[in-house]
């Protein structure tokens, strides 16, 4: 693949996309396929390490629509049939959940090595006609009534000016354009810190389906293990802010300490070697407002990020790109790039994302975990919950799912009261 450099190229495009992650590649593919002149500027040299490796079943039909599912299958990513929870805080043992097969999505997702996955998606965008500029950093933007102008730093350090009718911010947690256009606020109670790395040589637990993501609840927060092929996997922890504040040692020492908090994970890692440096991320839960404006649309993490616990990030990044693409194509047809053209996208993204929020808030509550760990859930209430956690409820919320969720949260409320009555802890650990 040609390594594009903007020196010598045409410096005017219909749309310029800042960021070549899943959101940027998805929208680049869709707009280029519909005949727009699109440039994707990505500051990193690909392939590059990225966190966010466990996908949802709702991601899979997007691969079909983009036309890259065969390439994803051929890449040999591990199939993820479900999730296994280990409670090593209150000692509720281990429970596995399997995604349901639905008419519009399969009963499984993939665990992906993001370096390979993001590279594959970006190459796909290039193959369908997007101009992709790697190691090009978008430095500044200026919106005018008839165009957007960007300053782009090329690999030799020089700055070039690029113009477009529309700017799409897909810059992830960098939220490139937020300072110029709106605000970014942290989500209350979710000021967590994550520490993570890849390992080789992890042991397979006998009681757990091979591709399941494992979540381990420990007093300091929660840990994950995302299995890739050949005993390689991603391991990390999301820590309560108070745990991090109380520590003064190195990040590596803290990482070892929290891994040791889980006997199951410690056992799985007994003969494993770390493959990557230990990475960290902080303050990753935030809201961006507004995420559409005149000649401007933000998608993926650049439009906000809720929490990593239910692996929603890549799905929301790619689905937001699809929803935005549909409004953007209409805006080009009408040659009208005012904010109101993108309001339908903004409404649909807000509505779809809202369904995950009660789960993220309640994940930190013991009463929620009581219900999840019930061996036989009353009235099969695990079904509407899995419907949401597979990503299906972003768009499809039949009445039984709606009623089931109300009932689930109603029972959880009662369970909370029972805990208090018995003198057990009922307090949420979300803001710890
Ligand atoms: P990104 O993937 O971050 O891509 C943005 C791109 O923009 C980057 O490549 C960056 O280099 C580029 N860029 C930034 N600024 C500029 C600039 N000025 N010029 C040019 N390029 C620029 N999601 C899941 O689905 N599953 C998980 O298991 C999961 N686990 C997570 C665990 C943690 C601890 C965290 C913090 C997040 C997790 N996520 C997970 C979320 C996931 O990482 C993101 O939601 C996802 O990567 C968003 O994709 P994106 O394309 O919006 O942004």
């Amino acid at each position: 693949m040609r390594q594009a450099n903007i020196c010598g190229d045409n410096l005017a495009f219909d749309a310029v996309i800042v960021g070549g992650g899943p959101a940027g590649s998805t929208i680049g593919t869709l707009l280029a396929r519909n005949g727009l002149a699109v440039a994707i500027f990505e500051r990193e040299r690909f392939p590059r390490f990225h966190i966010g490796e466990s996908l949802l079943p709702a991601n899979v039909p997007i691969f079909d629509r983009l036309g890259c599912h065969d390439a994803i299958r051929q890449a040999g990513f591990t199939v993820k049939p479900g999730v296994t929870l280990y409670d090593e805080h209150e000692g509720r043992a281990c429970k596995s959940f399997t995604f349901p097969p639905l008419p519009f999505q399969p009963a499984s997702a993939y665990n992906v090595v993001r370096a390979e996955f993001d590279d594959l998606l970006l190459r796909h965008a290039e193959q369908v006609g997007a101009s992709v500029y790697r190691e090009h950093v978008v430095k500044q933007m200026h919106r005018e009534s008839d165009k957007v102008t960007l300053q782009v730093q090329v690999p030799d350090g020089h700055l070039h000016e690029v113009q477009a009718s529309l700017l799409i911010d897909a810059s992830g947690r960098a939220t490139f354009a937020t300072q110029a256009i709106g605000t970014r606020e942290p989500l209350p109670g979710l000021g967590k810190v994550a520490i993570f790395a890849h390992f080789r040589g992890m042991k397979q637990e006998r009681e757990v389906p091979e591709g399941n993501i494992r979540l381990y609840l420990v007093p300091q927060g929660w840990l994950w293990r995302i299995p890739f092929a050949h005993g390689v996997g991603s391991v990390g922890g999301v820590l309560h802010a108070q745990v991090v504040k109380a520590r003064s040692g190195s990040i590596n020492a803290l990482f070892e300490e929290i891994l040791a908090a889980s006997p199951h994970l410690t056992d799985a890692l007994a003969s494993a070697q770390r493959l990557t440096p230990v990475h960290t991320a902080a303050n990753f839960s935030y809201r961006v407002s507004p995420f559409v404006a005149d000649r401007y649309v933000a998608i993926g993490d650049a439009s906000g990020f809720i929490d990593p616990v239910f692996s929603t990030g890549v799905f929301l990044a790619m689905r937001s790109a699809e929803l935005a693409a549909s409004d953007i194509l209409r805006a080009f047809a009408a040659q009208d790039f005012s904010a109101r053209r993108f309001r339908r996208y903004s409404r649909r993204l807000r509505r779809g994302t809202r369904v995950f929020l009660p789960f993220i808030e309640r994940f930190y509550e013991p009463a929620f975990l009581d219900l999840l760990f019930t061996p036989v859930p009353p009235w099969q209430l695990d079904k509407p919950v899995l419907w949401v956690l597979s990503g299906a409820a972003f768009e499809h919320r039949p009445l039984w799912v709606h009623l089931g969720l109300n009932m689930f949260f109603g029972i959880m409320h009662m369970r909370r009261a029972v805990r208090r009555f018995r003198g057990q802890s009922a307090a949420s650990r979300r803001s710890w």
Side-chain angles (χ1 to χ4, degrees):
M1 196 63 64
R2 178 175 76 100
Q3 170 65 51
N5 187 306
I6 55 175
C7 309
D9 276 0
N10 179 1
L11 302 185
F13 298 91
D14 290 322
V16 162
I17 301 165
V18 185
S25 300
T26 301
I27 203 158
T29 298
L30 296 171
L31 298 183
R33 202 161 65 188
N34 279 280
L36 296 189
V38 178
I40 304 179
F41 290 107
E42 167 53 56
R43 70 181 171 194
E44 305 276 345
R45 176 197 290 256
F46 270 34
R48 51 93 177 92
F49 181 92
H50 203 292
I51 194 60
E53 299 130 329
S54 155
L55 307 188
L56 299 184
N59 257 116
V60 177
I62 302 181
F63 302 147
D64 289 322
R65 292 194 289 269
L66 289 178
C68 61
H69 198 174
D70 281 346
I72 284 178
R73 280 194 200 96
Q74 280 158 20
F77 296 125
T78 304
V79 171
K80 167 189 166 185
V83 181
T84 300
L85 281 180
Y86 289 86
D87 181 1
E88 300 181 301
H89 187 192
E90 291 203 13
R92 294 183 189 83
C94 142
K95 185 157 180 201
S96 291
F97 301 86
T98 306
F99 293 121
L102 298 174
F104 46 84
Q105 70 185 35
S108 59
Y110 297 99
N111 297 323
V112 297
V113 178
R114 285 287 300 273
E116 293 166 30
F117 175 76
D118 289 16
D119 193 40
L120 184 155
L121 292 181
L122 194 56
R123 283 168 182 267
H124 184 67
E126 209 163 20
Q127 274 155 12
V128 302
S131 302
V132 176
Y133 300 93
R134 298 170 181 84
E135 296 177 76
H136 282 56
V137 190
V138 183
K139 289 286 191 187
Q140 271 177 25
M141 57 165 277
H142 181 58
R143 279 180 311 140
E144 291 164 77
S145 60
D146 61 338
K147 63 177 181 299
V148 182
T149 306
L150 300 168
Q151 294 290 326
V152 179
Q153 188 174 46
V154 303
D156 69 10
H158 286 97
L159 287 177
H160 288 260
E161 206 172 87
V162 175
Q163 291 183 347
S165 299
L166 181 75
L167 169 67
I168 299 167
D169 187 356
S171 64
R173 282 187 282 129
T175 55
F176 160 76
T178 307
Q179 272 184 346
I181 290 188
T183 55
R184 169 177 162 155
E185 287 170 57
L187 292 185
L190 288 169
K192 314 268 178 198
V193 174
I195 313 184
F196 41 91
H198 286 177
F199 287 83
R200 174 176 51 209
M202 281 188 276
K203 203 159 87 185
Q204 163 67 29
E205 304 96 326
R206 254 178 291 135
E207 71 276 17
V208 177
E210 203 173 326
N212 269 20
I213 176 176
R214 284 85 155 154
L215 300 183
Y216 309 84
L217 309 169
V218 295
Q220 294 90 332
W222 57 272
L223 309 171
W224 76 74
R225 170 183 171 190
I226 300 171
F228 306 140
H230 314 300
V232 176
S234 166
V235 172
V238 173
L239 305 182
H240 299 305
Q242 63 178 20
V243 174
V244 182
K245 276 189 203 129
R247 297 293 185 287
S248 54
S250 72
I251 286 294
N252 285 23
L254 178 56
F255 192 42
E256 278 170 26
E257 183 191 322
I258 55 155
L259 296 183
S262 162
H264 282 99
L265 190 53
T266 301
D267 185 44
L269 288 171
S271 15
Q273 299 98 48
R274 185 155 55 78
L275 282 179
T276 64
V278 177
H279 297 266
T280 59
N283 299 320
F284 38 75
S285 298
Y286 55 86
R287 178 183 298 124
V288 165
S289 179
F291 51 83
V292 300
D294 293 348
R295 296 190 180 272
Y296 171 79
V297 176
I299 56 173
D301 280 10
S303 65
F305 181 66
I306 39 181
D307 191 84
V309 66
F310 295 120
S311 303
T312 50
V314 173
F315 165 66
L316 291 177
M318 298 182 76
R319 188 67 192 127
S320 66
E322 284 192 314
L323 295 176
S326 128
D327 279 15
I328 290 169
L329 289 171
R330 283 202 182 92
F332 271 95
Q335 283 298 301
D336 173 4
F337 304 99
S338 57
R340 68 182 179 83
R341 281 272 161 200
F342 312 119
R343 284 212 189 104
R344 196 174 66 121
Y345 153 65
S346 141
R347 260 197 322 272
R348 291 172 79 188
L349 179 59
R350 278 215 176 87
R351 182 178 180 277
T353 307
R354 207 177 291 137
V355 72
F356 297 112
L357 292 174
F359 285 89
I360 289 164
E361 279 166 17
R362 282 154 187 150
F363 173 73
Y364 293 95
E365 281 205 43
F368 178 78
L369 297 171
D370 288 345
L371 270 188
L372 281 193
F373 276 95
T374 308
V376 184
W379 301 293
Q380 301 190 324
L381 284 179
D382 52 334
K383 290 210 166 130
V385 172
L386 284 167
W387 184 283
V388 174
L389 300 186
S390 71
F394 185 92
E395 249 113 1
H396 309 270
R397 284 177 226 172
L399 187 63
W400 70 266
V401 169
H402 192 71
L403 295 175
L405 291 176
N406 282 345
M407 210 187 295
F408 181 89
F409 288 122
I411 294 177
M412 191 199 130
H413 199 64
M414 289 192 283
R415 181 72 222 163
R416 202 188 281 140
V418 170
R419 275 191 156 254
R420 287 203 185 103
F421 180 73
R422 289 185 181 157
Q424 292 172 305
S425 156
S428 169
R429 297 196 293 270
R430 192 167 70 114
S431 309
W432 277 17

